[in-house]
Amino acid sequence: MTTGSVTVGVVGAGAMGRGIAQVAAVAGHRVVLSDAREGAVHVAHDAIRSALAREVSKGRMDQARADDVLARLELAETTSRELDAFRDCGIVIEAVVEDLSTKQTLFRALEGVVARDAILATNTSSLSIAALGGATGHADRVIGMHFFNPAPLMALVEIVPAITTAADVTARTDALASAWGKTSVVATDTPGFIVNRVARPFYGESLRILEEGLADVATIDWAMRDVGGFRMGPFELMDFIGNDVNLAVTSSVFEGFFFDPRYRPSLTQRRLVEAGLLGRKRERGYYDYRAGAAAPEPRRDRGLAERIVERVVAMLINEAVDAVRLRVASPADVELAMTKGVNYPRGLLAWGDRIGPASVLATLDGLQSEYGEDRYRPSPLLRASVRDQRPLLG
Ligand SMILES: NC(=O)c1ccc[n+]([C@@H]2O[C@H](COP(=O)([O-])OP(=O)(O)OC[C@H]3O[C@@H](n4cnc5c(N)ncnc54)[C@H](O)[C@@H]3O)[C@@H](O)[C@H]2O)c1
């Protein structure tokens, strides 16, 4: 499969599907974009046209190229029973609603249409790739291709083979993502893949600190930005993502790990969601975004900020180390995923080496003995690294 020569199918023309279609068309592919909802592909086409116009106005693309990109986009209105438009596709990426049976039905129908060597890729954030592959007759060609929002701007793509995925399918999908200018990382088919798993404590531990009254929302956000170096604080980021979406990801990872307390969702967050305080999209979340609302002032206490950052970052490093231990991804890919997928200021393993693995371990041991909770258990690999004096990023 050479880049540009293969026709790319994208099913689902929502926020993600339209972005993925744009990426593939800009990379030179003919793209078939479909959606089951009437008019949705035209809305998506207008959005892609506007996005390209912005590129032209900023001098990053000339008008002739933008016209070519749009000319390579073919729109189709489809249901699961009418998928003929995808007949010539070498790869079809689905970005339909996050529902297992909808995606399984779609893949089953697609395999009756595409060639035997065509790849069926899913952009799912939380479903098992094995469960999607298992619903088809040829699970060897089913793979996860997880883009981040907005797909044209975010560099990272997680490539997620299931235990049933053929090695050449992984290699071809990975090569395609690289040819599209993306940074690709390979993750095992485990809950949250890399980013949505390793990032959980950024939210979860910050919520614990809030619930215990150690600091308020504005102070924690200020600490994580100004002392931690993160682009956004956890609460402003949750308000941006949507508290409902963030809770759904946490709940899905928690269930996916058979209710491991390390990933337990927060009651505070659930109450916010129940009350409709979903974040920016509803003008209220942890913060009040309505006109005239005053922004709360943080308590600029440097010592407190350092304690907050130390605790949250130790939990993040522990999660990254444990993902390496359980072979979710290579150390290099864990570093890439967190810096390119969620723009962390540095890779978490490198961060652990900078702080010192012994110091990270001491923070976690301290928390575990204080709270007596399994949530704070240090990764055996962190313990072994300290014992053997090995760096985390070997
Ligand atoms: N939004 C994100 O930040 C994000 C990031 C990474 C991955 N994802 C994943 O991408 C997928 C899509 O998410 P989204 O945010 O673009 O959703 P969205 O609601 O914006 O778009 C989904 C689209 O799929 C269409 N659709 C639903 N069922 C269909 C079917 N059977 N056939 C064809 N079209 C169908 C809908 O009409 C809708 O236009 C989900 O699996 C989600 O988990 C989302």
Side-chain angles (χ1 to χ4, degrees):
M1 192 160 66
T2 46
T3 318
S5 65
V6 68
T7 298
V8 175
V10 180
V11 190
M16 294 307 293
R18 69 182 63 158
I20 296 166
Q22 182 185 327
V23 169
V26 167
H29 297 267
R30 176 175 161 253
V31 176
V32 180
L33 174 63
S34 86
D35 199 287
R37 193 160 38 87
E38 211 185 322
V41 283
H42 299 289
V43 174
H45 191 263
D46 288 348
I48 295 172
R49 186 199 304 278
S50 305
L52 294 173
R54 273 196 302 278
E55 293 295 290
V56 172
S57 72
K58 288 183 178 164
R60 291 200 286 248
M61 188 183 280
D62 61 34
Q63 188 59 51
R65 176 138 184 257
D67 292 343
D68 284 348
V69 171
L70 283 173
R72 281 195 288 275
L73 259 183
E74 189 182 308
L75 307 180
E77 257 168 36
T78 56
T79 68
S80 295
R81 285 174 301 282
E82 302 161 13
L83 294 165
D84 267 6
F86 295 102
R87 189 171 295 280
D88 300 330
C89 291
I91 180 168
V92 181
I93 305 167
E94 74 74 22
V96 304
V97 57
E98 187 78 339
D99 174 69
L100 182 64
S101 85
T102 305
K103 289 184 195 281
Q104 286 175 326
T105 306
L106 176 67
F107 273 7
R108 266 198 299 267
L110 274 170
E111 64 175 356
V113 173
V114 296
R116 173 63 187 95
D117 65 349
I119 295 172
L120 298 182
T122 171
N123 186 47
T124 182
S125 307
S126 64
L127 300 171
S128 140
I129 314 300
L132 283 168
T136 68
H138 300 289
D140 56 336
R141 63 162 162 207
V142 173
I143 192 164
M145 194 177 191
H146 185 219
F147 290 80
F148 290 75
N149 191 13
L153 297 183
M154 296 300 287
L156 191 73
V157 176
E158 292 179 326
I159 307 287
V160 191
I163 42 174
T164 39
T165 307
D168 82 290
V169 168
T170 307
R172 282 156 63 202
T173 310
D174 197 18
L176 206 53
S178 304
W180 293 355
K182 296 298 180 189
T183 300
S184 62
V185 290
V186 179
T188 57
D189 181 17
T190 45
F193 312 137
I194 307 174
V195 171
N196 280 338
R197 170 202 197 123
V198 175
R200 293 312 349 124
F202 186 70
Y203 315 105
E205 203 52 28
S206 304
L207 278 155
R208 276 294 284 260
I209 291 169
L210 174 72
E211 284 165 355
E212 290 175 3
L214 298 178
D216 59 21
V217 161
T219 302
I220 299 170
D221 275 352
W222 166 76
M224 293 301 285
R225 273 195 322 265
D226 274 41
V227 176
F230 291 88
R231 278 197 200 171
M232 288 175 91
F235 296 98
E236 53 184 349
L237 183 53
M238 284 186 277
D239 272 356
F240 182 78
I241 293 168
N243 291 308
D244 50 342
V245 174
N246 191 268
L247 176 61
V249 175
T250 305
S251 302
S252 134
V253 171
F254 181 52
E255 282 167 33
F257 281 115
F258 306 113
F259 308 102
D260 183 334
R262 192 182 258 169
Y263 308 104
R264 180 176 293 139
S266 146
L267 265 181
T268 299
Q269 185 175 40
R270 180 190 271 182
R271 291 290 179 268
L272 248 78
V273 173
E274 288 167 346
L277 304 179
L278 303 185
R280 280 184 177 272
K281 61 188 168 189
R282 292 283 178 85
E283 293 194 306
R284 282 176 77 195
Y286 293 103
Y287 294 96
D288 189 340
Y289 300 93
R290 292 171 298 185
E297 277 298 309
R299 195 175 130 211
R300 291 188 169 78
D301 173 338
R302 188 102 197 152
L304 173 64
E306 280 165 5
R307 287 197 301 282
I308 291 169
V309 172
E310 178 186 75
R311 180 166 160 179
V312 178
V313 170
M315 291 290 278
L316 285 167
I317 292 167
N318 194 41
E319 202 53 54
V321 172
D322 218 44
V324 170
R325 176 179 77 93
L326 295 169
R327 298 173 183 277
V328 173
S330 67
D333 277 2
V334 171
E335 297 297 83
L336 273 178
M338 302 317 286
T339 48
K340 303 282 184 185
V342 270
N343 297 322
Y344 281 10
R346 57 183 73 87
L348 290 167
L349 303 172
W351 205 336
D353 285 332
R354 190 165 146 156
I355 296 170
S359 170
V360 177
L361 179 60
T363 302
L364 292 163
D365 275 340
L367 287 163
Q368 199 182 21
S369 81
E370 190 170 334
Y371 291 97
E373 279 184 63
D374 206 27
R375 168 189 182 84
Y376 296 106
R377 70 184 185 276
S379 168
L381 182 58
L382 176 63
R383 234 179 246 298
S385 302
V386 173
R387 187 189 57 225
D388 303 340
Q389 299 190 329
R390 268 187 289 114
L392 301 176
L393 189 59

